[in-house]
């Protein structure tokens, strides 16, 4: 209680690009420019489009295109906005798996450190799952190649013995 956390993530992969805690309960629209600026500083790339919820309506000083469901959207913008639903699930996972829902560190600095560690933990879980899947596929292909190789050797041995 008493701290709001702003999360900026990529829409395609779901990596946390920026996470920041804000003491008190500020209006969401006032935190958007700060969060996008942090993501741009960390990644070194400009944010082109931001799909946000209705709490981020209003005027912003960012150059990014702000998409929310309160205005008329093109088909591509609607698709991006639908992809924003992934972020809500990601926040839920960060609260449960990353323990973002309860901070045991003291003070405003503790809140900031806790939010940052939750974002890092989320990215590490995504990288771990990605590497584990690639390793599973590699082992499956290796086992398949060994099995096919053994069958080929066995057939060659049978043919040799029959002739």
């Amino acid at each position: 209680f008493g701290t709001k956390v702003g999360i900026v993530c990529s829409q395609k992969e779901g990596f946390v690009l920026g996470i920041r805690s804000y003491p008190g309960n500020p209006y969401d629209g006032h935190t958007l420019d700060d969060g996008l600026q942090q993501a741009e500083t960390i990644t070194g790339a400009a944010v082109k489009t931001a799909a946000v919820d209705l709490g981020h309506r209003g005027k912003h000083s960012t150059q990014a295109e702000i998409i929310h469901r309160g205005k008329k959207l093109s088909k591509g913008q609607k698709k991006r906005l639908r992809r924003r639903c992934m972020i809500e699930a990601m926040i839920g996972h960060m609260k449960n798996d990353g323990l973002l829902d309860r901070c045991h560190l003291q003070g405003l600095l503790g809140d900031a450190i806790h939010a940052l560690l939750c974002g890092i933990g989320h990215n590490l879980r995504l990288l771990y799952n990605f590497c584990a899947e690639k390793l599973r596929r590699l082992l499956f292909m290796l086992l398949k190649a060994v099995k096919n190789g053994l069958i080929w050797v066995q057939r060659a041995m049978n043919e040799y013995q029959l002739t």
Side-chain angles (χ1 to χ4, degrees):
F1 297 108
T3 302
K4 182 177 278 198
V5 175
I7 300 171
V8 178
C9 67
S10 63
Q11 276 196 326
K12 201 175 228 182
E13 297 87 10
F15 281 107
V16 175
L17 303 176
I19 188 165
R20 176 167 268 174
S21 66
Y22 299 97
N25 192 15
Y27 175 62
D28 287 341
H30 297 151
T31 63
L32 181 63
D33 292 332
D34 191 33
L36 292 178
Q37 180 61 39
Q38 182 192 28
E40 288 177 357
T41 303
I42 291 172
T43 61
V47 177
K48 296 176 187 171
T49 307
V52 298
D53 60 1
L54 285 177
H56 293 90
R57 286 183 292 191
K59 298 200 181 246
H60 303 285
S61 62
T62 182
Q63 298 295 323
E65 177 188 11
I66 307 297
I67 300 173
H68 57 78
R69 68 178 173 86
K71 60 183 182 178
K72 190 166 176 92
L73 303 172
S74 67
K75 285 186 179 183
Q77 290 173 333
K78 286 180 184 178
K79 188 175 180 181
R80 279 187 181 258
L81 194 60
R82 281 194 303 268
R83 185 71 177 143
R84 192 189 68 80
C85 297
M86 178 260 317
I87 297 170
E88 299 298 330
M90 189 179 75
I91 292 170
H93 282 291
M94 288 177 74
K95 284 182 179 178
N96 292 329
D97 303 338
L99 305 177
L100 185 61
D101 58 346
R102 180 81 173 147
C103 178
H104 298 284
L105 303 176
Q106 187 177 12
L108 298 177
L109 182 61
D111 292 338
I113 291 170
H114 182 71
L116 185 64
L117 290 175
C118 287
I120 291 169
H122 179 76
N123 286 346
L124 288 176
R125 279 190 298 278
L126 287 177
L127 287 172
Y128 172 78
N129 290 336
F130 175 77
C131 291
E133 178 63 27
K134 293 295 183 185
L135 184 61
R136 261 186 246 120
R137 287 184 183 191
L138 179 67
L139 289 175
F140 179 74
M141 288 173 41
L142 184 63
L143 287 174
K144 191 174 178 181
V146 168
K147 182 180 174 185
N148 287 340
L150 289 177
I151 291 172
W152 179 79
V153 169
Q154 190 175 23
R155 284 182 186 163
M157 288 176 65
N158 288 340
E159 288 177 13
Y160 179 74
Q161 289 175 352
L162 290 176
T163 57

